[in-house]
Amino acid sequence: MRAIWTGSISFGLINIPIKIYSATEASTLNLEMLDSADHSNIKYKRINESTGKEVEYADIVKGYKLDEEYVILEDEDFEAADAEKTKTIDILSFADGQEIDSLYYEKPYYLEPDKSGTKAYALLRDSLQASGKVGVTSFVMRNKEGLAIIKPYGNVIVLNRIRFTQEIRETTELNLPPVSKKKTKEMDMADKLIDQLTEKFDIENYKDTYTAKLLKIIKAKAKGKKPPKAKMKVVHRQSDDLMEMLKASLSDKKSKSA
């Protein structure tokens, strides 16, 4: 693994030097974009809109358009916005992790302690584990302020970036049915179906089978074999009678488990 950020966790008067590593990696295949004529790679260039000439990455600056003019920002401008946060993950408070809706979760990272901070790191990790709490933190990564929670995951502390409320879209523009406050016969039947389909969640039961199948097709094509045509499943039109569909679903589940 390669560290993508170095700094420290600020916990009261305690500072724990840490390194951040991405906790995830894409399971999709790395597909290249090619010219259909000769299968040459397609390259993207940074083009000056006015001159049409390519611009070197080192010559690119960041700017914000204000009153039809661009204000150019330097590295020190970002640091001046909040210099203390640029190298510190501040634990602002502690909370029950169940109070944070999954809608806010964005991206997880592993935190690794520096040798001088292993004792304090272990103390924080084990205390969070025992209390069932998570730390609510703020930090700056790549010139962007972030909000995150830190929690133990096995023997590592995970920092999971979460979204600010202003980043969550309102649902007012969606055409949604009203929430029913009355218990109906359909709801009772739906509850039974949910109960029948409820089982202990184990992430190991779920695999990225699409990528594996696609890779199998790629290897077959490399040997000159044509992949079989996919057979589409016939989907029957759903009945408008919810109760009948729920009853059918329950009986289908019972017959499969029998």
Side-chain angles (χ1 to χ4, degrees):
M1 290 189 188
R2 183 174 62 86
I4 59 175
W5 193 91
T6 58
S8 63
I9 302 174
S10 177
F11 173 40
L13 297 177
I14 300 172
N15 279 288
I16 309 170
I18 55 95
K19 293 179 181 178
I20 289 184
Y21 300 84
S22 179
T24 60
E25 59 184 3
S27 62
T28 54
L29 299 177
N30 185 23
L31 302 177
E32 303 284 350
M33 296 188 70
L34 310 174
D35 189 320
S36 61
D38 62 358
H39 296 174
S40 295
N41 282 86
I42 303 298
K43 299 294 183 183
Y44 290 93
K45 295 182 178 181
R46 296 169 289 273
I47 303 299
N48 183 308
E49 185 179 15
S50 300
T51 66
K53 294 181 179 179
E54 186 176 0
V55 181
E56 294 294 329
Y57 189 79
D59 295 327
I60 296 176
V61 296
K62 292 183 178 180
Y64 181 82
K65 198 170 189 178
L66 186 67
D67 298 328
E68 300 306 316
E69 295 288 336
Y70 282 105
V71 178
I72 304 304
L73 296 170
E74 310 290 344
D75 288 343
E76 53 264 29
D77 296 320
F78 293 104
E79 293 179 3
D82 200 331
E84 291 183 1
K85 285 185 178 179
T86 57
K87 286 295 179 183
T88 306
I89 298 172
D90 291 310
I91 298 181
L92 307 174
S93 63
F94 293 93
D96 185 340
Q98 295 182 348
E99 295 176 351
I100 304 171
D101 196 282
S102 60
L103 185 66
Y104 290 96
Y105 282 84
E106 188 176 347
K107 185 173 176 59
Y109 300 90
Y110 291 144
L111 304 186
E112 177 191 52
D114 185 76
K115 288 183 179 179
S116 62
T118 53
K119 186 175 181 180
Y121 179 96
L123 175 65
L124 176 60
R125 178 197 61 202
D126 298 344
S127 295
L128 288 173
Q129 184 70 55
S131 66
K133 304 291 185 182
V134 299
V136 181
T137 73
S138 68
F139 67 105
V140 172
M141 180 187 288
R142 295 168 182 156
N143 299 327
K144 184 180 185 300
E145 182 177 7
L147 190 65
I149 60 102
I150 62 171
K151 60 183 293 185
Y153 178 72
N155 62 348
V156 68
I157 293 178
V158 170
L159 177 139
N160 205 315
R161 184 190 285 272
I162 59 176
R163 299 175 176 90
F164 290 100
T165 53
Q166 60 264 40
E167 295 177 302
I168 305 298
R169 289 180 170 181
E170 293 290 339
T171 60
T172 50
E173 293 183 20
L174 302 178
N175 185 19
L176 304 172
V179 177
S180 175
K181 295 182 179 179
K182 293 182 179 180
K183 195 76 170 179
T184 63
K185 292 181 179 180
E186 287 85 357
M187 286 181 67
D188 287 333
M189 193 68 71
D191 289 343
K192 291 179 182 178
L193 181 58
I194 290 171
D195 286 340
Q196 278 199 2
L197 295 173
T198 298
E199 57 186 33
K200 184 176 176 58
F201 179 74
D202 184 356
I203 192 66
E204 293 297 329
N205 293 334
Y206 305 91
K207 305 294 181 184
D208 180 7
T209 57
Y210 175 81
T211 298
K213 290 177 181 176
L214 183 59
L215 183 58
K216 186 177 179 180
I217 290 171
I218 291 170
K219 290 180 176 179
K221 289 198 74 174
K223 296 177 180 178
K225 298 178 182 179
K226 287 187 177 181
K229 289 186 178 180
K231 294 181 180 180
M232 302 299 291
K233 290 183 179 179
V234 178
V235 180
H236 297 285
R237 181 181 177 276
Q238 287 191 342
S239 166
D240 291 331
D241 191 333
L242 273 176
M243 181 62 78
E244 288 302 316
M245 287 191 290
L246 287 165
K247 287 180 179 178
S249 298
L250 279 168
S251 61
D252 180 61
K253 174 63 179 177
K254 288 177 180 176
S255 62
K256 285 181 180 179
S257 59

